[in-house]
Amino acid sequence: MQLTFASYNIHKGIGLDRRRDPERIINVLNELGADIIALQEADRRLGRRAAVIPRQMLAEHHWQLVPLAARSESMGWHGNAILVRRGVDILDAEPITLPTLEPRGAVCARLRVDGRIMRVVGMHLDLSGLRRRHQIEAICSHMARGAEPSILMGDLNEWSNRKGALRAFGPEWNVLAPGKSFPSRRPLARLDRIVISPEWRCVSQQVHHSALAAIASDHLPVSAALQLPA
């Protein structure tokens, strides 16, 4: 079985032209051709924390929203949301509590695709290196409770290519490096990552750098095509 996973910090839908444009974000998501997408900054930060992309718009473009929102008008939890294409079964979902001083978080969904069960985590980690390491440790501890093939992805805010807080994942995780994704106009840093458990084989990985993605957010999306053995 081969699936494409993607992660995208949509910057609350505000592009480099300073316009909030949910339809533009949807168009970038459609360009990715992904089966499962983790979004960061998917809700507005103030007030009612309303979703950046209307639910009806998601449905019209054949996306299912994993139910994680603590507020009725939100998409996710602390701005973290997970979208899956139609045909993917959502078994359950929950937030992962992280040690933090600012509104950061992670979410976990248990999914079934063609009879195979997997867990997917979306995350947006702290700007502080020490805090990031503690957050990664908390996520890994949460994932140790199950044995399903797993994918962790999101904006890790880690500028180091292989060291720094990334070492907290340990040898049981494979940290992919699709490429430089921030800032979107002229990328310098690999802030957005996909991390996989040993069951997965990475077929390909990339940064999606289309003309539309270059202005839709301050981050570019990253994606990976992954295979599970029969």
Side-chain angles (χ1 to χ4, degrees):
M1 180 176 66
Q2 181 168 312
L3 298 169
T4 299
F5 296 84
S7 177
Y8 191 16
N9 183 330
I10 64 173
H11 195 228
K12 303 175 185 65
I14 300 174
L16 299 191
D17 56 3
R18 300 184 181 181
R19 291 194 301 114
R20 192 188 308 276
D21 191 340
E23 186 170 356
R24 181 167 57 188
I25 295 295
I26 280 282
N27 289 335
V28 175
L29 298 182
N30 291 338
E31 288 180 348
L32 293 171
D35 299 288
I36 298 164
I37 302 178
L39 299 180
Q40 302 86 50
E41 298 193 23
D43 299 321
R44 302 190 190 196
R45 188 165 183 175
L46 302 175
R48 300 187 306 272
R49 313 285 166 83
V52 169
I53 307 172
R55 292 172 188 259
Q56 181 61 32
M57 185 179 291
L58 291 171
E60 289 171 356
H61 288 267
H62 311 291
W63 290 109
Q64 299 181 83
L65 177 63
V66 174
L68 288 157
R71 296 168 180 255
S72 60
E73 296 187 41
S74 301
M75 284 180 69
W77 190 74
H78 284 311
N80 291 279
I82 298 175
L83 303 178
V84 301
R85 63 167 171 78
R86 287 183 185 172
V88 175
D89 297 323
I90 303 168
L91 302 181
D92 54 57
E94 60 182 334
I96 302 174
T97 301
L98 299 183
T100 184
L101 295 176
E102 55 181 320
R104 302 285 183 183
V107 292
C108 181
R110 225 168 130 256
L111 308 173
R112 182 170 56 216
V113 185
D114 296 336
R116 306 294 297 272
I117 296 176
M118 63 195 68
R119 288 185 296 169
V120 175
V121 168
M123 54 188 165
H124 190 185
L125 302 187
D126 205 279
L127 296 173
S128 158
L130 178 61
R131 192 72 60 180
R132 271 198 306 278
R133 188 170 77 242
H134 291 163
Q135 290 172 344
I136 291 172
E137 289 169 352
I139 292 167
C140 291
S141 176
H142 180 92
M143 299 306 286
R145 303 171 194 171
E148 298 95 343
S150 301
I151 305 94
L152 321 176
M153 50 188 175
D155 178 0
L156 272 59
N157 270 316
E158 176 58 65
W159 287 72
S160 172
N161 286 340
R162 296 190 178 275
K163 298 181 180 180
L166 298 178
R167 290 178 291 190
F169 283 111
E172 63 271 31
W173 295 97
N174 181 13
V175 182
L176 305 181
K180 296 176 182 178
S181 58
F182 178 85
S184 56
R185 183 79 76 185
R186 191 169 295 176
L188 299 172
R190 306 172 192 265
L191 299 190
D192 303 278
R193 297 296 188 108
I194 297 174
V195 184
I196 58 177
S197 64
E199 298 90 347
W200 294 97
R201 183 175 78 86
C202 180
V203 178
S204 64
Q205 53 184 311
Q206 66 173 340
V207 177
H208 182 73
H209 201 162
S210 69
L212 196 60
I215 63 167
S217 169
D218 60 346
H219 286 245
L220 295 171
V222 299
S223 66
L226 306 176
Q227 280 185 349
L228 271 180

